[in-house]
């Protein structure tokens, strides 16, 4: 937060524009313009944006929705809010995103398609949508999922909460599906102190979203409602912070990329450490930089390293528990899951905040390198003593 956020907040408060107001409107236009979509509709969270996206595109109770098993739980919960059922699909080993090939095989082998609807043969339920999460600032395989959605008449919704600014080819993610969703929670690339947004090119969807997030008001004077609405709108206070942050978005992206580059330079040749590689035709924002640790080569398990770094005051985190293992979604469908489970065991996210200075980052790097070296030396010494 800086002086621009304070100035915008002071202006919003002085104008008494707390709920609706110029900043929220401007922020919607800025984000939609940035990602190349016609309409932006601000919400009070990314989760609310995804829930709204599912409702306006017609996902219904009893439907099944394909989603990666390796993500924060919010988009899966949004599916459940609709009374629909997530089907958790494993990730591909090369990019950690929902495995397009596994999803295609599920549709082809486990479902039947009658030309209009895809039906899961085992459950008898219709599979109607894909929530395509772009995980950790890297893009999912958008083109493959667009093709799958087209082939089987599935609604494609993108969850780009972690990937604002990430590009697949020349285009920003979030702009490929019928609806794209973003989050401005405090840990995101830019924050509005919470809040979210959905973007779409379809005027009818934008209008329906605005209606639902504003309590489904059917009359400007009387309180008449034909539908059950939600109190999901973005406030002007969110907008005031968001607009100030938006002005620095290029700087935030550059910082994230520089942090990732420095980790890569220092760690990619360490035994047992690998980092995801950005292909030439993609542009990643590296929301979080992660390392994958092969314990046999590195000398320590990922969680041993996590504990060691924690004792030195360095916070690293494991990836999310794969959702096919989550009690919250017990009984949901799944397609594989082994790759996600091994990533969950082996990956750590490193400190990646844009405020991380180079000195602190060097300290993180030195601690990681030294921990591996020491563990391998200890292992060597133990092996030498074994008769
Ligand atoms: C992938 C993903 N989707 C959705 C959300 C939900 O966003 P919010 O916290 O703004 O509700 C988050 C994170 O917060 C997320 O990481």
């Amino acid at each position: 937060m800086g002086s621009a956020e304070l100035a915008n907040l002071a202006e919003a408060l002085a104008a008494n524009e707390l709920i609706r107001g110029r900043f929220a409107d401007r922020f919607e236009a800025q984000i939609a313009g940035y990602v190349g979509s016609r309409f932006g509709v601000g919400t009070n969270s990314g989760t609310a944006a995804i829930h709204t996206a599912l409702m306006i595109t017609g996902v219904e109770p009893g439907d099944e929705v394909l989603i990666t098993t390796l993500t924060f739980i919010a988009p899966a919960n949004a599916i459940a809010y609709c009374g629909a059922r997530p089907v958790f699909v494993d990730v591909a080993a090369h990019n950690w995103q929902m495995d397009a090939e596994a999803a295609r095989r599920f549709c082809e082998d486990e479902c039947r398609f009658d030309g209009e609807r895809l039906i899961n043969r085992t459950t008898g339920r219709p599979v109607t949508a894909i929530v395509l999460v772009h995980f950790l600032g890297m893009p999912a395989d958008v083109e493959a999922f667009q093709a799958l959605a087209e082939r089987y008449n599935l609604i494609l919704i993108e969850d780009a909460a972690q990937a604002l600014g990430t590009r697949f080819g020349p285009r920003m993610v979030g702009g490929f599906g019928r609806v794209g969703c973003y989050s401005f929670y405090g840990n995101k690339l830019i924050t509005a102190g919470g809040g979210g947004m959905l973007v779409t090119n379809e005027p009818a969807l934008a209008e329906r979203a605005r209606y639902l997030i504003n309590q489904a008001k059917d009359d400007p004077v009387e309180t008449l409602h034909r539908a059950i609405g939600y109190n999901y709108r973005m406030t002007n206070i969110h907008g005031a912070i968001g607009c100030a942050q938006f002005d620095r978005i290029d700087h935030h992206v550059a910082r994230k990329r520089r942090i990732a580059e420095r980790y890569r330079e220092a760690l990619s040749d360490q035994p047992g450490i690998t980092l995801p590689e950005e292909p030439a035709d993609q542009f990643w924002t590296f929301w979080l930089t992660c390392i994958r640790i092969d314990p046999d080569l590195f000398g320590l398990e990922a969680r041993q390293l996590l504990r060691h770094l924690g004792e030195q005051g360095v916070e690293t985190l494991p990836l999310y528990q794969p959702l096919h293992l989550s009690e919250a979604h017990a009984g949901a469908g799944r397609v594989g899951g082994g790759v996600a489970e091994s990533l969950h065991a082996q990956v750590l996210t490193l400190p990646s905040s844009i405020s991380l200075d180079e000195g602190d980052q060097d300290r993180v790097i030195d601690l990681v390198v030294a921990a591996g070296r020491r563990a391998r030396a200890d292992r060597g010494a133990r092996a030498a003593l074994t008769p």
Side-chain angles (χ1 to χ4, degrees):
M1 292 295 123
S3 54
E5 283 82 351
L6 275 177
N8 282 5
L9 280 171
E11 197 181 322
L13 296 182
N16 213 13
E17 289 183 350
L18 306 184
I19 308 299
R20 287 166 207 279
R22 285 160 286 179
F23 286 115
D25 294 347
R26 191 193 305 165
F27 191 47
E28 287 180 342
Q30 282 174 326
I31 294 294
Y34 180 71
V35 302
S37 286
R38 280 181 70 192
F39 306 101
V41 178
T43 55
N44 57 10
S45 73
T47 313
I50 300 162
H51 182 201
T52 307
L54 291 160
M55 291 191 286
I56 60 176
T57 51
V59 171
E60 294 190 338
D63 287 3
E64 293 188 355
V65 179
L66 300 177
I67 181 170
T68 173
T69 190
L70 193 57
T71 180
F72 184 52
I73 198 168
N77 290 350
I79 293 169
Y81 299 164
C82 296
R85 309 273 189 127
V87 175
F88 296 118
V89 180
D90 203 359
V91 293
H94 71 278
N95 66 358
W96 305 4
Q97 313 288 322
M98 178 155 53
D99 185 340
E101 190 45 31
R104 188 189 60 75
R105 277 200 310 272
F106 168 78
C107 295
E108 226 152 75
D109 303 342
E110 315 273 328
C111 302
R112 68 187 148 77
F113 185 56
D114 64 11
E116 219 165 280
R117 274 167 100 73
L118 187 68
I119 307 289
N120 182 333
R121 284 183 213 270
T122 311
T123 62
R125 285 191 278 264
V127 181
T128 58
I130 302 168
V131 171
L132 188 60
V133 177
H134 302 285
F135 187 50
L136 298 173
M138 309 184 272
D141 225 336
V142 212
E143 281 171 355
F145 281 99
Q146 274 181 316
L148 195 67
E150 212 161 291
R151 166 90 181 79
Y152 291 111
N153 202 17
L154 303 172
I155 300 156
L156 183 64
I157 292 168
E158 292 176 82
D159 175 352
Q162 301 185 355
L164 178 62
T166 291
R167 282 181 247 147
F168 183 91
R171 288 169 60 193
M172 296 241 179
V173 298
F176 288 85
R178 285 189 70 192
V179 185
C181 303
Y182 302 92
S183 163
F184 304 106
Y185 185 70
N187 63 1
K188 295 300 186 290
L189 180 75
I190 60 168
T191 180
M197 197 172 298
L198 63 85
V199 298
T200 181
N201 288 321
E202 298 179 45
L205 290 185
E207 195 185 319
R208 183 73 184 163
R210 277 192 200 291
Y211 172 74
L212 288 180
I213 67 171
N214 282 296
Q215 302 280 25
K217 286 190 184 131
D218 281 302
D219 190 281
V221 181
E222 304 291 340
T223 41
L224 304 177
H225 309 270
R226 281 195 302 265
I228 292 175
Y230 296 82
N231 185 2
Y232 272 180
R233 78 187 77 72
M234 170 178 275
T235 67
N236 198 47
I237 300 296
H238 285 129
I241 301 172
C243 284
Q245 290 259 304
F246 181 80
D247 289 341
R248 294 200 303 276
I249 194 165
D250 291 341
H251 168 68
H252 287 207
V253 172
R255 280 291 303 135
K256 290 279 190 193
R257 288 179 61 82
R258 179 72 188 128
I259 288 166
E261 190 185 347
R262 294 189 81 244
Y263 278 132
R264 166 170 298 287
E265 282 164 7
L267 296 176
S268 59
D269 60 357
Q270 289 299 307
I273 293 187
T274 45
L275 295 98
E277 287 230 17
E278 182 186 49
D281 60 347
Q282 298 183 2
F283 180 90
W284 297 358
T285 52
F286 292 93
W287 176 58
L288 291 177
T289 298
C290 296
I291 51 174
R292 183 173 190 171
I293 294 168
D294 177 337
D296 294 336
L297 296 174
F298 182 69
L300 289 174
E301 303 272 349
R303 277 168 181 70
Q304 290 176 305
L305 179 63
L306 176 146
R307 279 194 295 277
H308 171 73
L309 294 174
E311 283 158 14
Q312 312 298 315
V314 172
E315 188 190 36
T316 57
L317 288 171
L319 291 183
Y320 312 100
Q321 181 193 39
L323 292 170
H324 65 271
L325 302 177
S326 167
E327 278 183 51
H329 289 281
R334 64 182 274 191
V335 179
V339 179
E341 286 175 31
S342 63
L343 290 171
H344 180 234
Q346 294 189 339
V347 173
L348 285 187
T349 67
L350 298 177
S352 307
S353 163
I354 58 156
S355 58
L356 182 73
D357 68 35
E358 294 203 344
D360 284 340
Q361 190 179 5
D362 288 343
R363 186 165 166 263
V364 176
I365 290 166
D366 292 345
L367 285 167
V368 171
V369 171
R373 229 177 246 152
R374 198 173 326 109
R376 289 189 297 277
D378 288 351
R379 196 173 54 189
R382 272 197 309 276
L385 288 174
T386 308

